Amino acid sequence: MLKPSAQKPSLKVVAVGALMLDLLCRVDNLPQAGEGVVVSSSHAVLGGCAFNSAEILRQLGIPCELLAPMGQGMFAHLAQEQLAARGVDIWLPPTLSPEGTPADCGACICLVTPDGQRTMITLPGIERHFQQAWFEEAPTHDVALAFCSGYEIDGAGGFAILDYLNRIRQQSPDAVIIYAAGPRIASVSDEKLRRILELDAIWHINDQEALEFSGCQTIEAAGCALVQQTQNIVIVTAGAQGAYIFEPDPCSNQSSTCVHIPTTPVEVVDTVGAGDAHLGALIAGYSCGMTWPDAVSFANQISALVCQNAGATIPDSQLVNFYQMLHERQH
């Protein structure tokens, strides 16, 4: 296991979202209506957007408090076994469902086609039902950075998460808050969107999500439209094209600047968790003093590495060089 970093212990990084079980299924093609397909191989691995990002942070030596409910049930049992093998502690909120009865953690069936692209079918669980009481002991003071996933914001517990993030904004006014929109971005209610915008959050979003949400035809137009709406930095990942950083133009509140950060093409095994890894690595780079362009470039490399492996997480050994690169710059 990689050593923890020497980051100031008084400054906290907090991840809010899901820990789930991913069932990776390799298929020759996605099924059409009425069609049955045979899976050529499958295996279960830990997943969930918040966990995937937090795991990259752990591997890169950045302390992070993961606020992801475990639940009780078949999926939770399998997830606990894998967490124990990694030596990772998990948050255990006092109540496991709105009714006070045990609820399982969610699962995600990931259909992976030969070109490495994935289509997800989510089986929602306890992570969709965050409650305000769960956050009573959660950190709000001296928080340096907090990030959340759009999947959980979209769920029934979304307002509880937004209330917690608002407390962070009030009690740690300089904290960076990042909203990882996710593919459910278009279904988030207007009221929740208003609350997200009030947090003054940086958005981390992929190209498909940006185009769908903005209604624009190009990444450049979509990024500019999002900056106009958020009045903050927007980072758009675009697969083999790398990523784009959009920022409000300091000379005009009606325009924005765009920086394209390319990536090195790789042979893709699958893209499961690539965006989550990008977010985790981005936060690690920024936490260690990188500029946003340098942090995005660093994240592009780690995201590409994840794409060369099956599943959303990779062994610690594959990140040793990145760990050293990150922490050597601090000395």
Side-chain angles (χ1 to χ4, degrees):
M1 183 176 294
L2 301 178
K3 297 178 182 178
S5 77
Q7 188 187 41
K8 294 179 181 179
S10 61
L11 297 178
K12 305 177 181 71
V13 175
V14 180
V16 184
L19 182 149
M20 304 173 71
L21 198 74
D22 286 345
L23 182 60
L24 302 180
C25 301
R26 295 202 164 272
V27 296
D28 291 334
N29 57 274
L30 296 178
Q32 303 298 312
E35 179 186 7
V37 296
V38 177
V39 173
S40 60
S41 66
S42 65
H43 65 284
V45 296
L46 281 174
C49 296
F51 169 78
N52 293 339
S53 299
E55 177 68 354
I56 289 290
L57 284 163
R58 179 193 70 79
Q59 292 174 307
L60 292 174
I62 306 298
C64 174
E65 185 155 351
L66 173 61
L67 305 184
M70 170 60 69
Q72 298 178 20
M74 177 180 66
F75 296 138
H77 178 72
L78 293 171
Q80 285 174 327
E81 289 182 344
Q82 294 198 28
L83 285 170
R86 293 170 183 257
V88 175
D89 294 327
I90 192 64
W91 185 50
L92 294 174
T95 305
L96 292 178
S97 77
E99 298 78 23
T101 56
D104 206 348
C105 72
C108 189
I109 302 171
C110 302
L111 302 177
V112 183
T113 51
D115 61 357
Q117 299 302 308
R118 90 288 186 263
T119 298
M120 299 180 295
I121 303 170
T122 300
L123 286 65
I126 190 63
E127 71 286 340
R128 298 279 285 182
H129 298 282
F130 276 80
Q131 300 173 51
Q132 286 187 335
W134 294 0
F135 293 106
E136 288 179 357
E137 302 299 323
T140 54
H141 293 280
D142 299 318
V143 173
L145 189 147
F147 63 97
C148 67
S149 166
Y151 262 123
E152 286 66 60
I153 295 293
D154 177 52
F159 284 113
I161 297 172
L162 291 168
D163 286 344
Y164 170 60
L165 294 175
N166 183 62
R167 285 170 53 210
I168 290 178
R169 174 56 71 220
Q170 298 302 315
Q171 298 175 22
S172 297
D174 294 329
V176 174
I177 296 178
I178 300 180
Y179 172 56
R184 297 282 299 170
I185 183 172
S187 65
V188 171
S189 70
D190 290 343
E191 175 61 17
K192 287 178 179 176
L193 177 60
R194 182 186 67 79
R195 295 280 303 275
I196 291 166
L197 293 173
E198 287 179 348
L199 291 170
D200 190 30
I202 291 171
W203 285 35
H204 185 272
I205 187 169
N206 72 27
D207 50 352
Q208 291 180 329
E209 295 158 2
L211 294 172
E212 177 185 7
F213 183 75
S214 67
C216 297
Q217 300 299 311
T218 67
I219 295 174
E220 291 80 1
C224 291
L226 287 171
V227 166
Q228 289 300 306
Q229 187 165 18
T230 64
Q231 290 298 299
N232 206 336
I233 295 170
V234 174
I235 296 170
V236 180
T237 60
Q241 296 179 51
Y244 297 79
I245 306 172
F246 297 90
E247 295 188 68
D249 188 334
C251 299
S252 171
N253 59 9
Q254 298 299 318
S255 61
S256 59
T257 62
C258 173
V259 178
H260 176 226
I261 311 294
T263 191
T264 302
V266 297
E267 185 173 341
V268 174
V269 174
D270 69 48
T271 58
V272 176
D276 303 332
H278 192 279
L279 176 58
L282 173 80
I283 292 168
Y286 180 77
S287 298
C288 289
M290 289 185 181
T291 63
W292 285 117
D294 286 347
V296 169
S297 179
F298 180 73
N300 284 352
Q301 296 176 65
I302 291 180
S303 181
L305 185 62
V306 169
C307 288
Q308 296 173 75
N309 288 262
T313 58
I314 54 179
D316 289 359
S317 59
Q318 293 194 29
L319 286 172
V320 169
N321 290 339
F322 290 98
Y323 173 91
Q324 293 172 343
M325 179 195 314
L326 193 62
H327 295 285
E328 283 174 358
R329 63 180 284 121
Q330 294 186 292
H331 301 291

